[in-house]
Every structure is written in structure tokens, then in C-alpha cells.
Amino acid sequence: MPSGKSIIPARGPGAFAVRMGMAAVVGLIAGVGTQIFGAMPGLLGFALTLVVNAVAMALAFVICIQWWKGIDEAAQEAHKWAWWWGGCTGMAAGGVLLLTALSREFERIDNLTANEILAMGMFLMLTCMIIGYGVAWAAWWAKRQ
Amino acid sequence: MNNRLKVLRAERNWSQADLADALGVSRQTVNALETGRYDPSLPLAFKIARVFEQPIESIFSE
């Protein structure tokens, strides 16, 4: 193999799968790190949790940028269009759901912590955005076949 | 925007995959270009012109 040539494919489904796998590993390390350092009391635990998550996010960005540079301009355009229109539409739908939920009186859920309720709200919004993104991305390509 | 990509490719007996390799894009992108449903950037348009050895205005038209 020529020196300097990456073993990771630059484009295609293989490139996407490899980078998704790398991002998943980074996410797993961040999750384990958060569990370990989050359990430490005081400022040190907070600081280490912050650092491990910041480093993981930076690594995820590096992986994402590498993948972005490997795809062609039409693929980039599809993702940009999907992120704006699909992501925003999903966020709007999630916003409607959350605002509607806030207007209702729900029974108190005592077995959930504030952290868990916050995480559920984030997860709901993220899920709506990803669904919108996926639909918009598929629609962009379907229109151009 | 209209283009003559499909005709030019057929004249050379190239597949969409051949043209995609020459341009450094995916076959799906070549398909989207040929159907006229995706307009290329200026750098890609110049690259297409170089690959077919023709001026841009003879490949693309309004």
C-alpha cells in the first residue's frame, strides 16, 4: 500500500458506515467517561466530565469533517437542504408537541429525576429533527432520480 | 438549466459510472445532472467541460 494512503474509504456507503462506527465508539467512550467522572464529587468530577464530553464532541466533528470532504457536491447539497428544511420542520413539529404537552396537566412522575426529564425533552426534539432530516434527504434524492 | 451530458456520454460509449469516475462524483450525481434536476457548481461545470473537451456553453444552456 502506498505510504500516506488511508485505509478508510473516502466515499460511498463504506465510508459512511466506517465513520458512523468511529462516531459510535467516541460516543460510547464519552458515555462511559460521563458515568465515571460524573460520579466523582466536587468540581474535579464536573471539570473532567466537561473535558471528556468536549473532547468527544471535537473528535466527532473531526470524523464528520473527514466524511464531508469525501462526498461530492450534490451529496453535500442534499445534506444541507435536508438539515435546513427537514431539521427545521422536525424541530417545529417537536416544538408543537412540547408546547402542547406543557399546556396540559400531567400526573406527577415521582420516579423520574430532573435530569431524566430534561434528557427526554432533548431526545424528543432530536428524534423529530432526525426524522425530518431523513425524510427531506430521501425526498431530495427521489426528486432527482 | 438544460445540458447535453447524456448525449456526450453516449457518443463516447461511457457509462454513468465511467463519467462519475472521470468527474470524481457519485453515479447518482451524474444521473441527477443528466436529468437536469441538479445544476452543477461552476468548478464542476468547468471539470465537465474539460472531460468532454468542449466549452461550457456548448454543454449547458438556459
Side-chain angles (χ1 to χ4, degrees), chain A residues 33-46:
Chain A
T34 300
Q35 285 296 311
I36 293 170
F37 297 128
M40 291 171 66
L43 191 61
L44 181 65
F46 175 78

Side-chain angles (χ1 to χ4, degrees), chain A residues 11 72-74 143-145, chain B residues 24-26 29 37-38 41:
Chain A
R11 62 180 60 203
D72 66 35
E73 63 172 57
K143 196 178 170 186
R144 285 160 182 82
Q145 292 306 300
Chain B
V25 300
S26 68
T29 296
R37 294 188 176 116
Y38 174 70
S41 67

Side-chain angles (χ1 to χ4, degrees), chain A residues 13-100:
Chain A
F16 182 74
V18 167
R19 283 172 175 81
M20 282 293 283
M22 289 165 69
V25 169
V26 169
L28 187 67
I29 291 168
V32 171
T34 300
Q35 285 296 311
I36 293 170
F37 297 128
M40 291 171 66
L43 191 61
L44 181 65
F46 175 78
L48 287 173
T49 307
L50 183 68
V51 167
V52 77
N53 279 297
V55 170
M57 197 59 82
L59 282 173
F61 259 94
V62 169
I63 293 166
C64 187
I65 290 166
Q66 279 186 336
W67 164 75
W68 184 259
K69 286 180 175 176
I71 61 176
D72 66 35
E73 63 172 57
Q76 289 180 349
E77 185 60 29
H79 283 294
K80 284 187 277 186
W81 194 87
W83 184 245
W84 174 250
W85 291 109
C88 286
T89 304
M91 186 167 62
V96 169
L97 284 175
L98 280 178
L99 289 171
T100 306

Side-chain angles (χ1 to χ4, degrees), chain A residues 107-125:
Chain A
E107 282 187 33
R108 190 183 171 87
I109 307 170
D110 284 323
N111 59 338
L112 288 179
T113 64
N115 299 43
E116 287 167 340
I117 293 170
L118 180 65
M120 280 169 61
M122 288 170 60
F123 186 74
L124 171 72
M125 194 60 88

